[in-house]
Amino acid sequence: MTKIDNPLSADAQKTTAEELQATLIELIDISLVGKQAHWNVVGSHFRSVHLQLDELVAAARSHADVIAERAVALGANPDGSPETVVAERTGGAVPTGYLPDDDAIGLVVDRLGRSIGRIREAMRAVEETDPASQDLLNSVLLDLEKQSWMFQAMLRS
């Protein structure tokens, strides 16, 4: 098989596939950042941050799979390779070594903020081209905004 038929015009397919790909990169990056922080977080709030990071990673991985499968259903080929993720992610490298809990939270809040902004842009871009994909992006956005709120609530004043 070399082509998946879908109801979108070529232009709509291109726009939608590009936005789904960008969202896939965001989600893979969040899952990797979350796991890196999860393994290395230390501090008096270790346990709650550690567990919340697991929730974030699980949500990001689950949404990444749905987004990638939607892209395939529309005839695109998602690329979640490490090289592509590193080249296209919106945030820089994650610190290695032990990560104080407040630093881990700050890192995740920052990463989520950028991803949320990018996914909101994607939603606007596919509003006309593919409302079904917009619904999926909205689902991602709802979960990421919830995670952002939960991590922000852990920040000390």
Side-chain angles (χ1 to χ4, degrees):
M1 179 183 291
T2 58
K3 185 175 186 277
I4 303 293
D5 290 327
N6 69 78
L8 302 182
S9 70
D11 287 343
Q13 181 185 13
K14 181 179 184 296
T15 298
T16 304
E18 287 171 356
E19 298 304 333
L20 292 173
Q21 175 63 32
T23 301
L24 177 63
I25 297 301
E26 294 292 342
L27 291 165
I28 293 170
D29 185 57
I30 287 169
S31 71
L32 294 172
V33 168
K35 225 13 141 167
Q36 181 67 22
H38 169 86
W39 293 323
N40 292 291
V41 67
V42 294
S44 60
H45 295 96
F46 161 81
R47 182 150 175 80
S48 60
V49 175
H50 185 79
L51 294 174
Q52 191 63 42
L53 286 164
D54 265 346
E55 287 185 30
L56 172 63
V57 169
R61 287 178 176 170
S62 176
H63 284 299
D65 192 50
V66 172
I67 292 296
E69 288 175 353
R70 177 67 182 162
V72 173
L74 295 177
N77 296 110
D79 183 357
S81 67
E83 298 81 10
T84 300
V85 173
V86 169
E88 296 180 11
R89 68 184 179 200
T90 58
V94 178
T96 57
Y98 292 121
L99 192 58
D101 49 16
D102 282 346
D103 291 351
I105 294 166
L107 174 73
V108 169
V109 167
D110 181 59
R111 212 54 157 242
L112 284 171
R114 280 198 297 271
S115 294
I116 287 166
R118 176 66 189 89
I119 292 165
R120 284 186 172 277
E121 290 173 17
M123 287 177 63
R124 284 189 286 278
V126 302
E127 181 178 9
E128 296 296 322
T129 63
D130 186 27
S133 291
Q134 186 187 39
D135 285 348
L136 292 179
L137 293 169
N138 187 57
S139 180
V140 171
L141 182 69
L142 290 171
D143 272 357
L144 294 186
E145 286 183 343
K146 178 181 176 183
Q147 289 293 326
S148 180
W149 153 58
M150 291 182 165
F151 279 101
Q152 288 180 60
M154 288 190 265
L155 288 172
R156 296 184 199 126
S157 300

